[in-house]
Amino acid sequence: MKKIILILILIVFAGNAFALSEKRRQYERQTCYTASVNEGESKSFAKAYCNCVAKEFDGKYTDKQLDALVDKGYDYMMNEIIPLAKKCYDKIS
């Protein structure tokens, strides 16, 4: 019984191991949306695309991990996030 409880606790914590805070998820979504609309994408496309990107970030990074990614420089960051963005772009297009 103790093993089952331990496994359930680990599952709960592992589920949140790669999760952005709600504030950070909203920030990333809004930043993406503004940039997409400014680059000429429709608002409906930008909304769907940026929701997807924020969800991908949420599934892969914590706030600290995303901060560390940004701190490594623009080129490094772009190499890491382009596959996630492309996945969403292909899904939405």
Side-chain angles (χ1 to χ4, degrees), residues 19-35 46-47 50-51 53-55 57-58 63 66:
L20 296 175
S21 66
E22 182 61 30
K23 184 177 179 180
R24 182 64 179 263
R25 189 172 33 256
Q26 288 176 1
Y27 171 80
E28 297 299 335
R29 186 182 303 121
Q30 185 60 45
T31 301
C32 172
Y33 178 83
T34 301
K47 181 178 178 182
C50 295
N51 282 337
V53 169
K55 184 177 178 181
F57 283 0
D58 186 46
D63 290 2
L66 199 51

Side-chain angles (χ1 to χ4, degrees), residues 9 11 19 24 27 29 34 49 57 62-63 69 72-73 80 83 85 87:
I9 290 171
I11 290 171
R24 182 64 179 263
Y27 171 80
R29 186 182 303 121
T34 301
Y49 170 73
F57 283 0
T62 63
D63 290 2
L69 185 65
K72 290 184 178 183
E80 292 294 314
K87 180 179 174 181

Side-chain angles (χ1 to χ4, degrees), residues 57-75:
F57 283 0
D58 186 46
K60 187 167 182 173
Y61 302 109
T62 63
D63 290 2
K64 287 182 181 182
Q65 289 170 327
L66 199 51
D67 288 340
L69 185 65
V70 171
D71 289 343
K72 290 184 178 183
Y74 181 80
D75 291 336

